[in-house]
Amino acid sequence: MGWRDRQFWLAMAAGPVFWVAYAWLAKQPPNWSGPTNWVGFLYVALVTPVIEEWVFRGWLQGRLLPERFRRTKWAGLTQANIITSIVFVSLHFLYHPPLWAASVLFPSLLFGYFRDRHKGIGACVALHIFFNMGFFWLFAELS
């Protein structure tokens, strides 16, 4: 996967930076006691990231990479990653408020970057699980 990859650990550090920024911007203090609905928490923290990474980075981005979309890069990101991220964000608009749906663009591009970098989804899954665990532990009220 990429346990020795310095960029991977910097990406992991982006999670807590986002959580602090979210608490400040949303004026929502963290809930340090954690979730009350453990089934819901485990679903959004573990199951959802695995499924989403398998579908989006594993299947969709994997299908786009062999085509011309992998050769053209913008700011170090392949077109396959950018297209996958646009689809990923677009589908979030179906279930989330607009600002929240748009806010998944940066993490999606980050996950896609590591998909390209490591030619697999292991790092993407690890990052997605970590980001979701921290966010849903600290801020979500799962019913």
Side-chain angles (χ1 to χ4, degrees):
M1 181 177 76
W3 297 114
R4 295 182 182 184
D5 182 351
R6 181 177 294 169
Q7 288 184 11
F8 172 79
W9 292 108
L10 288 172
M12 280 288 208
V17 170
F18 171 79
W19 305 328
V20 168
Y22 178 83
W24 182 69
L25 290 170
K27 296 178 179 31
Q28 181 178 353
N31 175 15
W32 297 109
S33 61
T36 55
N37 176 355
W38 282 96
V39 173
F41 173 74
L42 292 175
Y43 181 77
V44 298
L46 297 174
V47 176
T48 301
V50 171
I51 293 169
E52 287 181 347
E53 292 310 313
W54 182 75
V55 170
F56 290 97
R57 254 59 66 187
W59 181 77
L60 180 57
Q61 190 169 336
R63 294 298 174 265
L64 293 173
L65 278 171
E67 304 300 325
R68 66 179 176 86
F69 299 112
R70 76 176 157 162
R71 292 186 293 261
T72 306
K73 290 187 177 184
W74 179 78
L77 303 173
T78 63
Q79 284 183 338
N81 180 5
I82 294 167
I83 291 167
T84 300
S85 293
I86 290 168
V87 172
F88 186 73
V89 170
S90 297
L91 290 174
H92 276 74
F93 278 101
L94 298 175
Y95 303 102
H96 301 288
L99 187 58
W100 179 249
S103 73
V104 302
L105 178 61
F106 177 74
S108 181
L109 291 168
L110 187 67
F111 302 156
Y113 170 80
F114 282 98
R115 195 277 185 233
D116 290 342
R117 184 174 174 83
H118 294 287
K119 297 175 180 43
I121 64 169
C124 310
V125 170
L127 285 164
H128 200 152
I129 287 172
F130 180 69
F131 285 17
N132 278 22
M133 284 183 112
F135 179 81
F136 287 105
W137 182 279
L138 294 171
F139 300 109
E141 294 188 25
L142 302 166
S143 51

